[in-house]
Amino acid sequence: MAIMVNQVGYEAEDAGKRAVASAPGGYVLKNAAGETVWRGEAGDAVRDPLCGETLYPLDFGSVCAAGKYRLENESGERSDTFAIGRDVFSGVHNAMVKALYFQRCGCALEEKYAGPYTHAACHMAESRIYGEGDRGLEARGGWHDAGDYGRYITPGAVTVGHLLYAYKLYPQSFRELLHIPESGNKVADVLNECRYELEWMLKMQREDGGVYHKLTAWQHAPFVMPEEDRDDFYAYPVSSLAVADFCACMALAARMYDSVDRMFAWRMEAAAKLSWQWLEKHPEPVLFVNPEGSNTGEYGDSTDADERLWAAAEMLLLAARRGEDRSGYMAALQKILATGLAVTDFGWTNVAGFAALAVLTDFRQTAGKEIREIFRGQVFREADRLTDMSTRNVFGMAMKAEDFCWGSNMVVTNRGILLALACEILRTEIKDMSRDQAREAVARMARYQEVIQAQIDYLLGKNITGYSFVTGYGDHAYRHPHLRTTAADGIDEPMAGWVSGGPNGKPGDELAVREIPAGTPPMKCYLDREECYSLNEMTIYWNSSAVFVTAFLRSRALAVESHRDSGI
């Protein structure tokens, strides 16, 4: 039996405080003093398709007093503890951003910033350019991508994209200092951290605008500390995937940093334009596969249409800002959109959702009504599909069984991003609506926000495994990520803030295949084991996707707090 809750907590003003239980009957909510503050009955039984069990919803939305709580049933079984309060996601949100600091390559992590998770500067040697003899490349810096020590352009661009758009839309959610070396320099720390990756990305661009696909060793390192990994690193061949993602990311960052550091913004603008020229000279896909014998992350793809779409959208907005000719970017957008490409995903495999973010959050409406409507129509069709999907399981998940793949937790949070974008569109349009239209828009936003909340509830413990999938957050947070530094540093607890890949209905590592019986329902296909890279690895872009969603939720909580303080 189990009582599954969001182990971090619930906003005091949110009426959607929900848990899931494995048994019917009466339940009580007790505060830290052991006092009962709520009594209620479990809802009707639901046979849940994602975990294969009959479960019962609990709704304690009427409880608003701040404090620590737990749920209990008539048999005395207890849930994990959780908070009710205001801005309850501030800690986990900041930890998920700060976690990126621990992935910095090419510098020492000092105790004053890293606490016990220190290590010496790593991967300081010059890299070699694959296929070009002994020609070298100075490309120190950037973030280790995942549990390995490689650095990759496409996932790096996606990570920065998530974070910059989250900051653009919800700056109030990034107001705290994160205690990184740049903290206190009058720049938001999320921008400070992104800059560390952007500076490395700039080193990966060739003089002709081409961008090396990745920078890794020939084989994954053993489980040693990063400074002990002394294998030669290689800059792997240019791909149009990397060039287009680089172009898009640099154009976006040039706009975002323009008021922070104009010289840095100009460098990125020039780099974006150079890579766009490369794309124009190479209109056919230049895809990537690992050379024979190399086993580091491939990040391959079957098409570069979505990458080129993102690049065109970001270059269009940058050109509009500079008063430059936009016709080439418009033509590229129209040509790709005419193929019917889906524009509602935000992962490294399909980055077209970032083009939707660019176009639909542009207050100038640079792309024009026709293109905006294509993006808008797809976003709302997908938002409504996800909302309907969330009613078909007891957890409120915008997921089907087949969606529990490698990195399923990014599917969860990316769908939160899509729903957040739908909310942003409605928020900007509502001023031009009639009263009845506005009322319906507000109701629609509330439905979307409820589903977004359910995705984060799941991530933080309201799931059949009972794990919070973020290290350090929750009584039952997972503790054994597939991450070389946490395996080799001799410290029992991992650094806080890492998002696990999560349940995978088709696990791909030897231990998971052996330990998880065939036919196990997908939400149950999880082990908190370091060896299980197909279940329990972490990556920078799983974190950044989750950060976007918590930024959205924090912005709503902070707005309520601001209205209360102002007497509105």
Side-chain angles (χ1 to χ4, degrees):
M1 298 205 331
I3 307 170
M4 293 155 273
V5 298
N6 177 332
Q7 295 168 30
V8 169
Y10 302 84
E11 285 294 324
E13 304 294 333
D14 182 9
K17 304 180 190 76
R18 297 187 176 94
V20 172
S22 59
Y27 286 80
V28 297
L29 183 67
K30 292 186 176 181
N31 62 20
E35 300 164 334
T36 297
V37 300
W38 173 87
R39 293 180 185 273
E41 292 286 322
D44 294 339
V46 177
R47 183 66 181 175
D48 191 274
L50 303 181
C51 67
E53 292 195 15
T54 298
L55 300 170
Y56 303 83
L58 294 170
D59 188 333
F60 50 98
S62 60
V63 180
C64 297
K68 291 283 189 179
Y69 296 91
R70 66 175 184 270
L71 285 160
E72 294 184 11
N73 64 12
E74 294 165 337
S75 301
E77 184 180 24
R78 299 178 175 182
S79 72
D80 291 310
T81 58
F82 57 89
I84 291 177
R86 297 193 176 99
D87 196 18
V88 291
F89 299 126
S90 59
V92 68
H93 170 84
N94 289 327
M96 290 190 299
V97 182
K98 171 69 180 276
L100 297 169
Y101 164 76
F102 294 106
Q103 291 292 92
R104 288 191 185 188
C105 185
C107 69
L109 301 192
E110 303 175 45
E111 185 177 2
K112 65 187 294 188
Y113 305 113
Y117 305 105
T118 60
H119 65 71
C122 60
H123 306 108
M124 299 298 287
E126 186 174 73
S127 298
R128 296 163 62 184
I129 300 176
Y130 177 79
E132 297 190 23
D134 293 328
R135 186 181 172 205
L137 178 71
E138 191 288 291
R140 290 186 286 270
W143 297 316
H144 299 144
D145 172 64
D148 63 293
Y149 294 136
R151 284 156 284 161
Y152 306 82
I153 288 294
T154 53
V158 164
T159 304
V160 173
H162 286 147
L163 295 174
L164 292 186
Y165 271 111
Y167 178 72
K168 173 189 174 182
L169 295 172
Y170 317 115
Q172 64 273 39
S173 298
F174 296 91
R175 59 189 182 180
E176 296 92 356
L177 297 179
L178 300 180
H179 199 56
I180 59 177
E182 299 83 3
S183 292
N185 65 354
K186 299 183 180 180
V187 175
D189 274 349
V190 68
L191 298 184
N192 285 324
E193 194 57 58
C194 285
R195 181 166 182 163
Y196 196 82
E197 179 78 350
L198 289 162
E199 293 275 14
W200 168 76
M201 291 176 69
L202 286 165
K203 296 178 181 182
M204 293 289 284
Q205 186 184 43
R206 295 190 317 200
E207 292 181 357
D208 67 347
V211 178
Y212 298 111
H213 189 78
K214 64 176 182 174
L215 190 75
T216 76
W218 192 248
Q219 299 280 332
H220 283 310
F223 277 65
V224 298
M225 291 297 286
E227 65 270 30
E228 297 169 3
D229 175 26
R230 298 186 179 90
D231 285 350
D232 289 338
F233 266 54
Y234 296 86
Y236 285 70
V238 168
S239 72
S240 56
L241 309 168
V243 177
D245 279 347
F246 174 95
C247 175
C249 188
M250 289 297 159
L252 167 62
R255 299 199 317 274
M256 293 295 294
Y257 286 81
D258 197 47
S259 61
V260 173
D261 184 335
R262 184 154 294 177
M263 292 298 292
F264 182 51
W266 285 345
R267 280 177 60 202
M268 292 189 289
E269 180 175 344
K273 289 177 176 177
L274 189 62
S275 282
W276 181 262
Q277 291 170 10
W278 188 97
L279 292 169
E280 289 185 314
K281 292 175 183 176
H282 300 82
E284 297 302 316
V286 181
L287 304 180
F288 181 84
V289 294
N290 270 338
E292 186 176 353
S294 177
N295 78 342
T296 55
E298 186 170 83
Y299 288 106
D301 203 346
S302 60
T303 177
D304 65 1
D306 52 299
E307 286 84 4
R308 288 178 185 264
L309 183 76
W310 184 22
E314 299 292 357
M315 292 299 291
L316 173 69
L317 269 57
L318 183 60
R321 187 172 185 138
R322 301 292 186 242
E324 297 171 352
D325 179 52
R326 295 171 268 174
S327 58
Y329 312 126
M330 287 287 288
L333 277 177
Q334 290 167 334
K335 180 179 179 181
I336 299 170
L337 288 173
T339 67
L341 179 72
V343 296
T344 56
D345 200 4
F346 307 89
W348 65 266
T349 310
N350 186 344
V351 298
F354 289 100
L357 271 169
V359 168
L360 296 173
T361 64
D362 171 31
F363 73 90
R364 296 183 178 88
Q365 301 193 11
T366 308
K369 185 175 180 179
E370 181 180 350
I371 287 178
R372 283 180 60 86
E373 192 53 42
I374 294 172
F375 282 109
R376 184 185 183 281
Q378 282 207 41
V379 167
F380 280 114
R381 284 191 293 274
E382 179 68 357
D384 291 338
R385 184 184 77 91
L386 297 177
T387 301
D388 177 69
M389 193 185 301
S390 73
T391 67
R392 300 177 186 275
N393 62 85
V394 73
F395 295 98
M397 297 300 296
M399 299 278 280
K400 292 183 178 179
E402 57 266 30
D403 295 326
F404 286 86
C405 55
W406 194 331
S408 64
N409 281 338
M410 188 183 72
V411 180
V412 172
T413 52
N414 276 356
R415 289 179 173 177
I417 294 175
L418 186 282
L419 290 159
L421 176 56
C423 287
E424 290 306 311
I425 298 167
L426 290 171
R427 185 182 61 80
T428 58
E429 292 178 350
I430 205 165
K431 64 181 183 301
D432 299 319
M433 295 179 182
S434 68
R435 180 174 296 181
D436 288 345
Q437 289 172 328
R439 188 179 295 113
E440 170 54 30
V442 169
R444 197 174 186 184
M445 290 167 65
R447 291 194 297 271
Y448 293 158
Q449 185 168 334
E450 183 177 322
V451 181
I452 295 168
Q453 179 67 58
Q455 311 317 295
I456 288 297
D457 288 347
Y458 166 89
L459 192 73
L460 296 175
K462 200 183 83 174
N463 61 70
I464 200 64
T465 73
Y467 281 104
S468 166
F469 291 123
V470 183
T471 53
Y473 283 85
D475 290 350
H476 199 200
Y478 89 104
R479 298 181 65 248
H480 304 287
H482 180 88
L483 173 59
R484 280 159 175 75
T485 49
T486 59
D489 63 12
I491 302 170
D492 287 341
E493 291 290 332
M495 63 280 286
W498 282 121
V499 176
S500 168
N504 182 355
K506 296 180 179 179
D509 58 84
E510 182 179 341
L511 179 63
V513 170
R514 186 171 70 245
E515 295 291 327
I516 299 174
T520 298
M523 195 191 288
K524 290 184 174 180
C525 293
Y526 178 75
L527 297 170
D528 182 18
R529 296 285 294 274
E530 172 190 291
E531 305 95 319
C532 293
Y533 54 84
S534 69
L535 311 176
N536 218 34
E537 193 166 10
M538 38 59 64
T539 74
I540 55 177
Y541 50 92
W542 296 341
N543 261 53
S544 57
S545 177
V547 166
F548 190 110
V549 182
T550 53
F552 169 85
L553 292 172
R554 287 195 73 196
S555 73
R556 298 304 183 263
L558 293 168
V560 169
E561 182 178 320
S562 176
H563 289 171
R564 183 188 304 104
D565 292 345
S566 64
I568 296 175

